[in-house]
Amino acid sequence: MKPLFVSIILLLTFSSRNIAQITRISVTGYGAIPDSPGDATGAFRRAIAACKSVAHPVLVIPHGRYHLFPDSAVKKDYYITNTSSETECPSKTKTIGLLFEGIRNLRVEGEGSLLLFHGKMTTIVVDHCDGFTIENLSEDFIRPTMSEFTVTGASDTAVDVRVHPDSWHRVDTGKLTWYGEGWVDQDHFCIRVDPSHAFFYANEDYERLLAAGVSEPGRQTLHFTGSFAPSHFPIGSVFTVRDPIRDQVGIFLTNCRNIQLTNITMHYMHGLGIVSQFSENLTFRRVFIEPDKNSGRRIASFADGMHFSSCKGLISIDSCRFDGLHDDAVNVHGVHLAIVRRPAPDQLIVRYRHPQTYGFIAYHPGDSIAFVHPNTLSIFRYGIIRSASMLSPHDILITLRDPLPDHLDTAAVIENLTWTPRLVIRHCHVSGTNTRGFLITTRRKAVVEYNTFYRLGMSAILVADDGLSWYESGQVHDLTIRHNLFIECGNNILPAPYAITIAPENRPPFEQPVHSNIRITDNRFITYSPAILTAKSVDRLRFTGNVLKRRPYFDGIAPDTTRMSGFALVGCTHTIAIACKPDN
């Protein structure tokens, strides 16, 4: 018994020392006052700085409401994937509410607090952190950069609307302008949310309103006079409009490891959403991207909900909700860079081709890369990075461990294979978006299970890969889609509203499959058309045990499905059991 007793004493001593190392740092100790209308940004900055001087800090945000203003925020340049081109937004300076940089083993305890942001801001940046956890926190904007108004009346000659109180506007000399704290919309992108909770593209309808005469007969009401099609302005529908420039993001995780977000609610995000770039082992549990139920607003994210570019390790998204987005709920992909020059036998200069993605280093020493034909998306060679350096925001010089052959195809694109993640998405609910639910483009094992997709504008799941448009890589080698519920998706891709789309952007003839080992099993599809699955260039596609239930089209006028097939397969090999069981 003596050795056991000594072991217990040593364990208790070790545990006590670990507990003693934990230091709780409260933002109130640095000047933040819960429920005060004053600017808490400086207090948060001081408290975060104090966390850097201790080994195991816990940053405490005592329960309350805290206002964060852009004037006191950190300003720092970040190049962020899929955001804005040099023409759209030359400045890459982000206005950051909470910046966590170079901190290890930090836990942020929100205690159910609400952070209220002003102006255009990136709410949180986590940069070069390891072992970072943030939990029990919500955020919103005093004036979201999304403007919303509800149709209260429509005829051939007039449309009446009620403007949401959070959507600040003015009517000057017959022109409608949306504005906020330090910003004025210069352009527009519009989505209509119908009472059925389906989202429809509405730019043309909104432009018809802009071209009409406008007056403001009462508080938060507008009257438009002109020529209209009343069916395009259903009573009770909500028009949601924003400037399309993605100059900030919601949360940005960059060059991080072992990150956890738990019990986090994002009531509104300006820009791309929660973006993870070159980060490893990311866990999102009970993250809710949705408007405050008491706000009366419909939109929670300016664009995507969660966006992952060139990450690795495990991405786990569990028990999350996505409702009210102007783009996809989740997008997971890598980046293809194009070869532009070969300065030496073992060197290449590669370039970012999509104008909204550039400026960050895409390779690290020891990374494995694949050379890909952009037209076929087939891999023809592999290599290992010895070194990489930025020549400009668009060009990277890479040096390989081994020389390349003289006949190398310099029209190729290159994918970083090391920075490709495993993926698990389960128990999530996705609704309220005009586009897709999950975009999955990773070669490592991916599982999508026990999720619900409700009335999404496009396919609930898209498996892509391209080397000529968005340059989002790469091949999928092991994907399981099981035990999910798909409900009436695809109203924006009629007449072929496929619930699942596998569509790599390779060009015919489709001689070699791009993707492989995709299993779609034991799912339930509730649809208004036979369209279930469209797939191209897949080897070993398995579709088994799935159930289909038909119901009338929710929008009233049924799409023509007389010539529609439930399955559209092109260039697929070794396909198994493509059929659905009816659910009566």
Side-chain angles (χ1 to χ4, degrees), residues 41-212:
T41 313
F44 274 78
R45 290 179 64 176
R46 293 188 291 272
I48 293 170
C51 291
K52 293 185 176 183
S53 62
V54 296
H56 294 278
V58 176
L59 179 65
V60 181
I61 306 173
H63 181 74
R65 294 159 61 96
Y66 300 86
H67 291 258
L68 293 100
F69 289 80
D71 291 346
S72 308
V74 176
K75 310 296 194 301
K76 187 172 181 180
D77 287 355
Y78 283 105
Y79 288 89
I80 303 179
T81 184
N82 293 74
T83 51
S84 57
S85 68
E86 288 175 310
T87 302
E88 292 172 325
C89 184
S91 172
K92 300 305 170 187
T93 302
K94 308 305 173 192
T95 303
I96 304 163
L98 280 65
L99 173 62
F100 301 93
E101 188 175 16
I103 307 177
R104 291 177 56 87
N105 303 317
L106 170 64
R107 179 165 66 89
V108 179
E109 172 51 63
E111 295 192 349
S113 293
L114 174 65
L115 305 184
L116 291 167
F117 291 86
H118 294 253
K120 288 185 176 182
M121 296 181 70
T122 295
T123 64
I124 297 171
V125 169
V126 186
D127 183 355
H128 284 87
C129 292
D130 188 353
F132 177 90
T133 299
I134 183 168
E135 56 192 12
N136 306 319
L137 188 66
S138 299
E139 66 84 32
D140 204 348
F141 278 71
I142 290 294
R143 192 330 185 181
T145 52
M146 187 75 60
S147 301
E148 303 185 12
F149 57 87
T150 303
V151 177
T152 58
S155 68
D156 293 337
T157 58
V159 173
D160 291 289
V161 306
R162 181 180 64 255
V163 180
H164 192 282
D166 291 347
S167 299
W168 305 354
H169 68 283
R170 55 178 174 259
V171 177
D172 295 327
T173 62
K175 181 181 179 181
L176 173 63
T177 301
W178 304 105
Y179 69 95
E181 298 171 290
W183 58 266
V184 177
D185 273 356
Q186 302 297 320
D187 202 349
H188 61 269
F189 178 80
C190 185
I191 296 294
R192 186 183 82 237
V193 183
D194 276 13
S196 63
H197 204 59
F199 283 42
F200 295 87
Y201 289 100
N203 257 5
E204 292 184 4
D205 297 327
Y206 180 68
E207 288 165 2
R208 190 170 294 274
L209 291 176
L210 291 180

Side-chain angles (χ1 to χ4, degrees), residues 337-341 348-350 353 371 408-410 412-414:
L337 276 76
I339 298 172
V340 293
R341 195 156 60 86
L348 294 170
I349 295 175
V350 295
R353 285 296 192 191
F371 293 79
L408 180 75
D409 180 6
T410 55
V413 293
I414 294 178

Side-chain angles (χ1 to χ4, degrees), residues 270-463:
H270 172 66
L272 189 54
I274 301 174
V275 183
S276 303
Q277 182 172 291
F278 278 99
S279 293
E280 178 180 359
N281 295 333
L282 308 172
T283 299
F284 301 83
R285 181 169 177 79
R286 295 190 300 277
V287 174
F288 308 126
I289 300 174
E290 58 188 6
D292 184 340
K293 291 180 173 55
N294 297 318
S295 71
R297 301 199 310 257
R298 298 300 184 94
I299 303 300
S301 182
F302 180 106
D304 288 2
M306 298 179 183
H307 197 106
F308 304 86
S309 177
S310 302
C311 293
K312 69 177 181 178
L314 174 64
I315 296 173
S316 175
I317 304 171
D318 192 342
S319 304
C320 298
R321 284 199 305 270
F322 304 84
D323 186 16
L325 296 85
H326 261 213
D327 215 328
D328 310 310
V330 176
N331 189 352
V332 181
H333 65 87
V335 180
H336 279 132
L337 276 76
I339 298 172
V340 293
R341 195 156 60 86
R342 183 179 176 181
D346 62 345
Q347 289 186 325
L348 294 170
I349 295 175
V350 295
R351 178 170 295 167
Y352 287 101
R353 285 296 192 191
H354 193 278
Q356 292 180 333
T357 297
Y358 66 101
F360 51 91
I361 192 70
Y363 310 98
H364 304 82
D367 286 352
S368 296
I369 61 172
F371 293 79
V372 181
H373 291 299
N375 287 318
T376 64
L377 295 175
S378 60
I379 295 173
F380 65 91
R381 187 176 180 84
Y382 296 92
I384 297 177
I385 299 292
R386 182 183 297 277
S387 64
S389 58
M390 300 291 299
L391 300 179
S392 73
H394 294 275
D395 291 348
I396 301 174
L397 172 66
I398 60 174
T399 302
L400 303 177
R401 287 186 181 176
D402 299 308
L404 296 166
D406 294 337
H407 61 276
L408 180 75
D409 180 6
T410 55
V413 293
I414 294 178
E415 178 185 14
N416 190 330
L417 302 182
T418 297
W419 289 87
T420 52
R422 290 174 288 126
L423 175 68
V424 176
I425 310 179
R426 56 166 58 104
H427 301 298
C428 294
H429 189 280
V430 186
S431 61
T433 177
N434 54 299
T435 55
R436 288 73 54 109
F438 303 154
L439 278 69
I440 299 168
T441 316
T442 179
R443 63 177 37 241
R444 302 187 191 273
K445 184 177 180 62
V447 178
V448 178
E449 61 183 3
Y450 300 104
N451 303 287
T452 298
F453 306 91
Y454 179 72
R455 287 187 181 169
L456 307 189
M458 296 181 180
S459 298
I461 296 175
L462 169 63
V463 179

